[in-house]
Amino acid sequence: VRVREPQSGGGAVLESKGRNDCAKAYVGGFIRGLGYKRMVFRSDNEPSILALLKDVSAGCPELEVIFRNSPQGDSRANGLAEVGVREVKNQTRVLLSELQTNYGGKINLKDDAVVTWLVRHAANCINRGRIGTDGLTPERRRTGRRWKRPCVTFGEACYFKPISVKHRQGHEYRMIKGIYV
């Protein structure tokens, strides 16, 4: 029995359906980051999703895109995508709970900008950490290498060196304290 698992997946928060420059930029950047030359876009026949996928494929001329739509009325045809969405939602809930516990308060899901970053981070955690039935993570399956970089917990205070800082003189700090998102 061949089990099909989601490869790499992404997640983003959008204000509305339909043509959206932010969504187009995110999906296009995500796809370019995967490094594939040929992709199959599978989706249901929802006009807003089809329009987004066409915009993204037009914005990635180096990518050969094959469109496959699920049959009308077949809810199981997009089962793999639905599993991916469910996993990102579950991981987002876990990270949100941890963030609220660490900061001792509630986060407003509608107004707080941190939620946008939280959803993207949840998808990245799944890509780099979830082990499939073949014993590999999506990241390793895609690149052939394990993810070895140290990971910081979402919302954790840490020190970082800003990209714009070249060489500071005197008593100025080279590292700045920030919160990882």
Side-chain angles (χ1 to χ4, degrees), residues 68-89:
R68 295 237 172 95
N69 297 338
S70 61
Q72 195 76 22
D74 186 1
S75 61
R76 295 186 330 170
N78 272 344
L80 205 54
E82 296 300 329
V83 167
V85 169
R86 186 176 62 232
E87 286 180 354
V88 171
K89 282 182 178 180

Side-chain angles (χ1 to χ4, degrees), residues 25-44:
Y26 173 72
V27 174
F30 179 79
I31 288 171
R32 278 189 211 89
L34 293 173
Y36 295 124
K37 301 290 181 207
R38 183 174 189 238
M39 291 190 88
V40 176
F41 285 176
R42 294 181 187 268
S43 72
D44 56 14

